[in-house]
Amino acid sequence: RHISSDTSNDDFGGLVMARSHTDSARHFAKENDMYGPIQKLITFIADQVVLEASSVKGCKSVRRLLRFNEKTDRKPVGSDDDKRPDVTLTFSDPPDSTLHNSDAKTIYSGDDKKEAHPDYGDMLCVIEVKPDKSKQKDAFAQAYMYIRNIYACQHNRQFVWALTVCDSIWRICLFTHDNMFVSDELDLTHMDGRGTLVDFVVRASFCDIYHLGYDPTIRYNPDIRKWQIDVFDNDITEPKTLVIDSVLHNATRTTGRHTRCYIGIDPNSNERLLVKDAWAEETKRPEIIEAGSEGDTPPVDIQFERDEISLLKEVHNGLKDDQFFKGHYPELKYGGVVRQSPTSCQSSAMDTTYTAFAKIGEALHSDDIPYRIHKRLASAPIAESLRNLGSVDEYIVVMADVMITLLTISDNCGILHRDISSNNIMFTRDDNGTVRGFLNDFDCAIKPSTDRKVRTTMTGTLPFMSISNLEAQDVPQTILNDLESCIYHMCWFGVEGVCSLHERGPADDGAGTCPMLRGGGLICKCDGDGDGDCDYKRLG
């Protein structure tokens, strides 16, 4: 309040203009004329926050100092497109050093001049700038386009902030899994507008990192130069920490489940596990029975509407006595709801969209936010994509295994998979080179015996849906729907072909990539040099 009322326009670097200007007035001819004043403004407020905090007796110390990358309108490190954010905001020497592993990134120009570029890997938020107030919608749209790369480059990012500046009008934006929330106009020519902006900077400087959109259960360990991830299970009181060996799948979309997949290593046993991290949407809050009166231990029983973790446990119990099916489905090692322990809470709590946004403000009403629950599971074995198959015969073996597994799971466990696709049918290969079909991803699975509700919305992956599912017919789903999807899967690969990089041949040097991703119904086995000299066989 003191900062916003006791500062002159000169302190704001010329960004705040005289109050008498009209709505149609433009005070900057170009966007880049605004970059310097914006940086000076935020830097001034952040520095004042530190000074004010140090002068108040008993005040908490500032957790982080907000700073800009000096290079504006540049393509950030980690970008997969040519879009260039106007201004990017990050931390200066953050105490939260486990948030990211971004060192100072450098790019050399033609004259070998060293320039530090912004980096999506350590970006707190982007600021989209327009010199004209009428371009507000364009600013929103451009800010939206940058968020996808932030999610992709930051393994621990749960939601993202952005700012738009159109002349003297600022807006604070929050991008969640399902929505974009926007503040009212902050007119910096008025004290109230400046006060709200100051309040945002103050909260960002002091708040728990969890409420800035970061997940403390995924953190970078600078001692081993690796990311670590906590996995949870109702059968253990403390989370199990795994070391992330590699990233299989990033969250590459702005909205949705934000599914991420990693290969995690147990530091005690060196066992390699597939870790899946996702925000599952629930139509209603689950029924929860806490183990302790204060909620400081994991819940002993959580009744979800549909739960991949509990279904995988049922599948394992139904097939564990038959060694034939070992390695044909994910064997769950750990699985549960992620628990967070922000410093603002007295105990750990389930990580949901409601708890994540609880401290943000009254502007976010619970009715506006779909209820999502943060779940994480670790399973074995780690399967391979079908594109690594070496022959048509291996593909036929994989499909036969998968169809037998589907039938047995339906007979023994009463579970339908409901999402047959090229990503969910995979394979494993033993030491002798023998392949086995692997049925992955039980996100859409249900038990018809307990879920009789006919769903009018289609479920699954579009090219492989059964006809009754595709047309949303009012008929019960059965195992025949999954088997019909398998037939379409074989038709798909019969037309598209299967490409192998021939990674197991004596002549393989690991450098080649087959240029023939689609062989018109052909399956190819490359010699690894990438020149298209492949051995093709007709599929089917």
Side-chain angles (χ1 to χ4, degrees), residues 395 399 403 406 420 425 463-464 480-494:
Y395 174 74
M399 291 306 299
M403 295 176 79
L406 284 168
I420 300 300
I425 294 182
F464 312 104
L480 295 180
N481 293 86
D482 283 343
L483 297 179
E484 182 181 342
S485 294
C486 288
I487 295 175
Y488 300 146
H489 190 282
M490 289 183 281
C491 293
W492 178 277
F493 278 89

Side-chain angles (χ1 to χ4, degrees), residues 54-127:
S54 61
S55 64
V56 177
K57 184 177 181 181
C59 181
K60 295 189 298 183
S61 60
V62 173
R63 292 187 176 183
R64 62 196 65 86
L65 185 62
L66 304 189
R67 278 294 181 257
F68 291 94
N69 188 287
E70 294 182 0
K71 302 299 179 182
T72 57
D73 193 25
R74 299 292 180 93
K75 178 180 177 179
V77 174
S79 176
D80 65 355
D81 53 40
D82 293 326
K83 296 179 176 62
R84 302 180 301 182
D86 292 333
V87 184
T88 58
L89 185 63
T90 182
F91 307 143
S92 175
D93 298 322
D96 310 290
S97 58
T98 59
L99 289 179
H100 52 76
N101 65 334
S102 239
D103 302 322
K105 299 294 191 300
T106 58
I107 295 180
Y108 293 90
S109 60
D111 58 357
D112 291 334
K113 182 180 179 182
K114 198 173 186 180
E115 298 180 344
H117 274 228
D119 185 354
Y120 277 124
D122 60 10
M123 202 176 290
L124 171 63
C125 75
V126 296
I127 302 179

Side-chain angles (χ1 to χ4, degrees), residues 12 14-19 21-23 25-28 34 38 41 129-133 136 164-171 185-190 193-194 197:
F12 286 170
L15 190 67
V16 180
M17 301 301 171
R19 297 185 181 183
H21 77 277
T22 63
D23 291 340
R26 288 181 56 177
H27 301 91
F28 296 95
M34 302 174 64
I38 289 173
L41 168 61
V129 181
K130 299 292 181 186
D132 191 340
K133 294 179 182 179
Q136 182 65 74
T164 63
V165 183
C166 298
D167 193 49
S168 63
I169 302 300
W170 290 51
R171 284 182 182 265
E185 291 185 353
L186 310 181
D187 189 346
L188 295 200
T189 64
H190 297 279
R194 298 196 297 271
L197 179 61

Side-chain angles (χ1 to χ4, degrees), residues 155-281:
H155 308 309
N156 55 349
R157 203 61 188 264
Q158 302 191 122
F159 56 90
V160 181
W161 297 92
L163 298 172
T164 63
V165 183
C166 298
D167 193 49
S168 63
I169 302 300
W170 290 51
R171 284 182 182 265
I172 302 172
C173 307
L174 173 62
F175 293 89
T176 71
H177 302 88
D178 303 275
N179 307 82
M180 171 185 172
F181 293 96
V182 180
S183 71
D184 294 332
E185 291 185 353
L186 310 181
D187 189 346
L188 295 200
T189 64
H190 297 279
M191 188 180 71
D192 288 343
R194 298 196 297 271
T196 303
L197 179 61
V198 170
D199 184 66
F200 174 78
V201 176
V202 170
R203 290 177 184 272
S205 302
F206 283 95
C207 74
D208 194 288
I209 203 66
Y210 174 66
H211 296 302
L212 279 181
Y214 294 90
D215 183 357
T217 66
I218 304 178
R219 56 200 171 274
Y220 183 74
N221 187 334
D223 295 332
I224 61 176
R225 300 184 67 85
K226 292 280 190 179
W227 286 84
Q228 293 178 319
I229 185 169
D230 294 336
V231 291
F232 300 78
D233 197 291
N234 290 343
D235 296 331
I236 56 176
T237 57
E238 296 293 332
K240 179 73 174 180
T241 300
L242 305 178
V243 176
I244 297 179
D245 183 61
S246 60
V247 179
L248 299 180
H249 181 71
N250 274 326
T252 56
R253 295 185 178 182
T254 305
T255 58
R257 297 167 56 87
H258 289 172
T259 301
R260 296 175 169 98
C261 294
Y262 313 98
I263 293 180
I265 299 179
D266 187 332
N268 297 323
S269 63
N270 286 326
E271 183 181 15
R272 292 166 59 85
L273 301 174
L274 173 67
V275 182
K276 177 181 176 181
D277 181 90
W279 287 77
E281 184 175 1

